[in-house]
Amino acid sequence: MKRDHRPYILKRLDILFQQWYVRHFLKPQFAYLGKGALFMKPWHVEIFGGPVSLGNYANVIATPDKKVRLTVWSDSADKGSIEISDYCLICPGVRVSAATSVVIGESCMLAQGAFVTDSDWHGVYDRSLSVGQSMPVRIGNNVWIGDSAIVCKGVSIGENSIVGAGSVV
């Protein structure tokens, strides 16, 4: 790991700027943003649609080449939500897409490149359907979703589970 040799004042200014960015640009896009939520490189976090809620003391890490994308896109106004509970870790490249509902429990970790979705995003025979068939996804407390794993529609993952890297569930 490369050591950060910047003077303390520069490190502190960088942290303050990131907090300012979150308050002014990301917080208005969330239905709920918990206290103590930490964003690293928040300008690489993309939020589309809503409602999206992020719990207390959650950590979101994004990089220029691996943006974090939280997307709610539903065929009706009253459907579609993403709820990420307290103490979660979202790593670079994570995508969460919801047409119905995606609920992620407390103390979960989503490793780099993980993808969680509750829809096919098109019909099997008629690809012009905008969302296709969707079913809610529920991830229990203390779950680790490995690098580049995919969690598909209708899946419920129990507490204290590990989804291996590259898995399709």
Side-chain angles (χ1 to χ4, degrees):
M1 180 183 279
K2 200 171 183 183
R3 185 177 165 108
D4 188 356
H5 292 286
R6 295 179 297 173
Y8 172 76
I9 189 68
L10 290 180
K11 293 177 197 176
R12 187 69 187 138
L13 287 172
D14 183 46
I15 291 169
L16 289 173
F17 177 71
Q18 289 185 42
Q19 291 171 346
W20 174 85
Y21 187 92
V22 169
R23 278 193 315 273
H24 286 83
F25 295 105
L26 290 183
K27 189 173 182 177
Q29 297 180 50
F30 282 100
Y32 174 76
L33 180 59
K35 66 180 180 179
L38 176 67
F39 289 84
M40 296 176 72
K41 307 292 185 207
W43 38 89
H44 299 299
V45 175
E46 298 175 346
I47 302 166
F48 301 103
V52 176
S53 63
L54 184 66
N56 298 323
Y57 304 105
N59 291 302
V60 180
I61 305 168
T63 60
D65 60 333
K66 298 195 182 304
K67 297 180 185 296
V68 171
R69 291 185 172 95
L70 306 173
T71 307
V72 176
W73 182 26
S74 183
D75 53 359
S76 66
D78 60 336
K79 283 186 174 180
S81 67
I82 297 173
E83 181 183 327
I84 302 171
S85 298
D86 301 341
Y87 308 105
C88 287
L89 172 63
I90 309 292
C91 291
V94 168
R95 296 179 299 148
V96 180
S97 300
T100 305
S101 172
V102 173
V103 178
I104 299 173
E106 292 184 0
S107 301
C108 289
M109 297 186 300
L110 279 71
Q112 178 175 303
F115 179 45
V116 179
T117 184
D118 68 353
S119 179
D120 294 331
W121 300 110
H122 57 75
V124 175
Y125 299 107
D126 183 6
R127 292 189 176 246
S128 66
L129 296 175
S130 62
V131 174
Q133 186 179 13
S134 65
M135 295 169 56
V137 171
R138 184 167 299 278
I139 298 173
N141 296 333
N142 199 32
V143 172
W144 178 15
I145 298 179
D147 194 311
S148 301
I150 300 171
V151 178
C152 298
K153 68 179 183 177
V155 171
S156 291
I157 299 175
E159 292 187 1
N160 304 315
S161 298
I162 297 174
V163 176
S167 299
V168 178
V169 182

